[in-house]
Amino acid sequence: MSHATRTLELTGDNLTLNDAEHILHGRIDRLTLSSSARKRVEQSRRCLERLIDDGQTIYGVNTGFGKLANQRIEADEVLALQENLLRSHAVGMGALLGIPVSRLALALRIQALAKGYSGVTTELLDTLIEMYNRGVVPAIPEQGSVGASGDLAPLAHLALVVMGEGHAFVVKPGSDVEHHGGRSGLKPMSGRAALARARIRPHRPKAKEGLSLINGTQISTAILIDALVKSRQLVRVADIAGAMTIEATKSSLRPFDARIQAIRPHPGQVACAANVRKLLHASPIMASHADCGKVQDAYSMRCMPQVHGTVRDAIDHASRVAECEMNAATDNPLVFPDTNEVISGGNFHAQPIALAADLLTAAMTDLSSISERRVENLVNPDLSGLPGFLTPHPGLNSGMMLVQVLAAALVSESKTLSFPASVDSIPTSANREDHVSMATAAARKCRLVAVNTRRALACELLCAAQGLEFHLPLSAAPPVDAAYGHIREHVRPLGRDRTLHRDLEAVERLIRSGSLLGVVEEVCGRLG
């Protein structure tokens, strides 16, 4: 990727999670197609056209779809077949995907076609690339996919825009647009109007191109990546929040000793413990109770490496799955020019994404669960040694009592979302598609849980910062003190009771923007 021009070349291979994050956050203005990918696409198209001209029966080209695969389509109806496919499959409902996720799905669809196994024309790819480069983002409803023959319904909404139908947003190319269910203020326009505004000519799908546009896992993959990007940030923020709570409750650093981790060397566990040691190095508060008589802390402090670390390992696994899927051919049937064959298979089945999303959902729910227990340790005077509910005037004031209730509510909601979608299957298409993945549902739940986890961590950070007030003039370790100071720039200490929801929203914004993590890492270096 060129940082000067913010251009990303798609090759069909080697797309990374960091690239996807740049697309989500509007850091990529333009996509281009590599010359090698263009050559592969051309070869694949020529192969397909030869087979069509030879009269071969090819699924989705001169046959119907699904249960209707045995229905032969006449040569003069092949183009109409592709258009009818897109129109009939665009049955999505519900809130629209956020513009960043839809934009990423568009880029991932281009990447999959660029591998050269789909038999599409370079003209189609050029149209898709111009849509991205000129800010045309399809308006895609969230609901409608079972993750079996790909994300058929939502991808059909994407594909309709290519031929000047459906609906789309037009945004500044590469802009960092936050859009969730229409709250950005932007409203979609007709696909034809969007293409006209961007000066893009509609593309009428050629043989197989309609099917190639909707057979794929790019919607579920894009949503999972959005959740992964959030989770990768949050697991580092959780270490900061936990370290701040350790300071506020005068808990021990001994459970983070490197020797303990070395004899149970799960990578995430080792990384978390190293982070906490780095965050708490040279702490005046920690030094002040070095000789106290406390023997052991609650698990939510003592077992942070084991719990946070396992979440890290789950994120790493889901990241590997997502990166593999970003660089995969998920179309059906697939064209193999080297052997002059078109082969039907099942690469559209999104079970890898479904299982990875379900694992990540459970992991992030657990991260929020242990954070909520640390909030309880902070507000409960029997556990923390701090004033009840972190108010200097308990009784008349309830302090942060309800912050723990909020954290409990968030965790409980995430628990209800943690039943795995991937174990469910409702057969579709007259039982031809008799086992489906429910990957898009799994990814959507995962993204919701990531947001809940961010808010639960905001609860802990707010309470931990308040807990540190009672240790003044002693200060926390420099990295923790930097986090405390950054929070105090936006949220004043709690004296008498006041409405706290704005304070919580302010802390959540510091997490979401990355500024909290940034100020800490300026002091101690990048956290593992």
Side-chain angles (χ1 to χ4, degrees):
M1 183 184 69
S2 168
H3 293 284
T5 60
R6 304 205 315 175
T7 296
L8 179 66
E9 183 181 69
L10 296 181
T11 66
D13 299 297
N14 303 321
L15 197 62
T16 68
L17 204 57
N18 287 337
D19 293 329
E21 181 175 356
H22 289 319
I23 292 170
L24 277 171
H25 290 169
R27 300 175 193 147
I28 302 294
D29 295 317
R30 292 182 55 79
L31 300 177
T32 61
L33 187 66
S34 72
S35 57
S36 59
R38 184 174 293 276
K39 182 178 179 181
R40 288 196 306 270
V41 170
E42 291 169 345
Q43 290 173 338
S44 177
R45 184 64 190 182
R46 286 195 297 269
C47 175
L48 179 67
E49 289 178 345
R50 283 196 302 270
L51 295 173
I52 294 171
D53 291 343
D54 289 344
Q56 286 201 22
T57 299
I58 303 172
Y59 172 74
V61 175
N62 46 27
T63 75
F65 304 100
K67 183 70 173 178
L68 304 176
N70 294 327
Q71 299 290 319
R72 180 79 180 190
I73 305 300
E74 298 302 323
D76 60 350
E77 296 176 323
V78 165
L79 296 187
L81 174 70
Q82 301 301 310
E83 294 177 345
N84 288 344
L85 173 69
L86 300 184
R87 292 173 183 138
S88 66
H89 281 54
V91 297
M93 295 187 72
L96 298 177
L97 290 172
I99 287 177
V101 173
S102 295
R103 180 169 55 198
L104 176 59
L106 175 62
L108 294 180
R109 188 66 255 175
I110 298 167
Q111 168 79 346
L113 297 176
K115 291 191 73 66
Y117 295 99
S118 296
V120 300
T121 64
T122 54
E123 289 78 12
L124 171 61
L125 271 176
D126 289 339
T127 300
L128 291 167
I129 290 170
E130 282 306 298
M131 285 172 56
Y132 182 97
N133 292 346
R134 301 186 189 189
V136 177
V137 182
I140 304 172
E142 288 191 341
Q143 294 174 302
S145 175
V146 295
S149 286
D151 293 317
L152 293 173
L155 283 173
H157 284 273
L158 182 155
L160 280 177
V161 180
V162 176
M163 60 182 193
E165 299 185 17
H167 293 83
F169 299 94
V170 179
V171 300
K172 181 181 178 182
S175 58
D176 191 3
V177 180
E178 283 291 336
H179 175 77
H180 299 284
R183 291 195 294 274
S184 70
L186 291 173
K187 294 183 179 180
M189 63 186 72
S190 73
R192 183 166 296 279
L195 293 183
R197 178 175 292 190
R199 298 181 181 178
I200 299 172
R201 183 189 297 275
H203 175 83
R204 188 181 184 193
K206 307 295 191 296
K208 194 183 179 294
E209 289 189 331
L211 183 60
S212 293
L213 282 167
I214 68 173
N215 247 194
T217 63
Q218 284 68 45
I219 300 297
S220 50
T221 302
I223 299 171
L224 174 60
I225 289 170
D226 187 30
L228 273 168
V229 167
K230 291 177 171 64
S231 298
R232 291 200 304 176
Q233 177 202 54
L234 292 176
V235 77
R236 288 188 287 158
V237 171
D239 289 349
I240 296 169
M244 186 179 287
T245 298
I246 287 171
E247 295 258 44
T249 58
K250 291 189 173 180
S251 296
S252 176
L253 186 57
R254 290 186 64 80
F256 303 89
D257 191 301
R259 292 168 294 180
I260 294 175
Q261 325 314 321
I263 56 178
R264 197 195 190 195
H266 293 291
Q269 177 176 332
V270 173
C272 172
N275 282 347
V276 175
R277 292 195 304 272
K278 182 187 291 188
L279 289 164
L280 295 180
H281 179 66
S283 164
I285 292 176
M286 298 297 287
S288 74
H289 64 91
D291 299 319
C292 71
K294 196 173 182 181
V295 178
Q296 287 187 331
D297 299 314
Y299 284 7
S300 56
M301 257 75 74
R302 194 184 351 150
C303 299
M304 275 174 52
Q306 291 75 19
V307 178
H308 289 201
T310 303
V311 173
R312 287 171 171 273
D313 292 340
I315 291 170
D316 287 346
H317 170 73
S319 297
R320 287 191 294 272
V321 171
E323 286 200 337
C324 181
E325 198 74 0
M326 282 192 289
N327 295 292
T330 56
D331 193 0
N332 182 61
L334 293 166
V335 181
F336 294 89
D338 291 348
T339 57
N340 209 38
E341 291 179 278
V342 176
I343 305 175
S344 288
N347 276 6
F348 49 67
H349 201 292
Q351 199 70 21
I353 296 297
L355 284 168
D358 282 338
L359 173 63
L360 185 59
T361 298
M364 295 308 290
T365 295
D366 199 39
L367 190 68
S368 66
S369 179
I370 195 172
S371 175
E372 182 277 328
R373 287 293 81 198
R374 291 195 295 265
V375 172
E376 168 63 17
N377 272 267
L378 284 160
V379 302
N380 187 333
D382 296 333
L383 300 174
S384 67
L386 298 169
F389 303 107
L390 301 173
T391 173
H393 309 288
L396 178 62
N397 294 276
S398 296
M400 296 194 170
M401 180 187 296
L402 266 288
V403 177
Q404 185 268 329
V405 174
L406 168 61
L410 291 165
V411 172
S412 181
E413 180 179 292
S414 291
K415 288 178 180 179
T416 66
L417 293 168
S418 292
F419 182 85
S422 58
V423 302
D424 187 24
S425 178
I426 299 177
T428 57
S429 192
N431 218 42
R432 177 63 64 91
E433 298 160 2
D434 60 347
H435 181 277
V436 302
S437 72
M438 301 298 179
T440 306
R444 288 171 56 218
K445 293 194 300 100
C446 187
R447 184 184 52 186
L448 288 172
V449 167
V451 172
N452 284 349
T453 301
R454 185 173 66 211
R455 291 170 179 164
L457 289 171
C459 292
E460 182 180 2
L461 286 163
L462 183 69
C463 289
Q466 179 68 12
L468 291 176
E469 299 295 330
F470 299 102
H471 298 308
L472 295 173
L474 284 176
S475 62
V480 173
D481 197 50
Y484 164 80
H486 192 54
I487 291 170
R488 284 289 168 258
E489 290 174 7
H490 301 269
V491 177
R492 70 183 190 276
L494 182 65
R496 302 291 179 180
D497 277 354
R498 66 172 186 266
T499 302
L500 292 175
H501 78 276
R502 297 296 185 196
D503 295 351
L504 288 160
E505 289 175 345
V507 176
E508 186 192 7
R509 283 195 297 272
L510 300 181
I511 299 171
R512 186 174 63 242
S513 69
S515 67
L516 180 76
L517 188 59
V519 298
V520 171
E521 292 186 333
E522 281 181 12
V523 175
C524 66
R526 182 173 173 83
L527 297 176

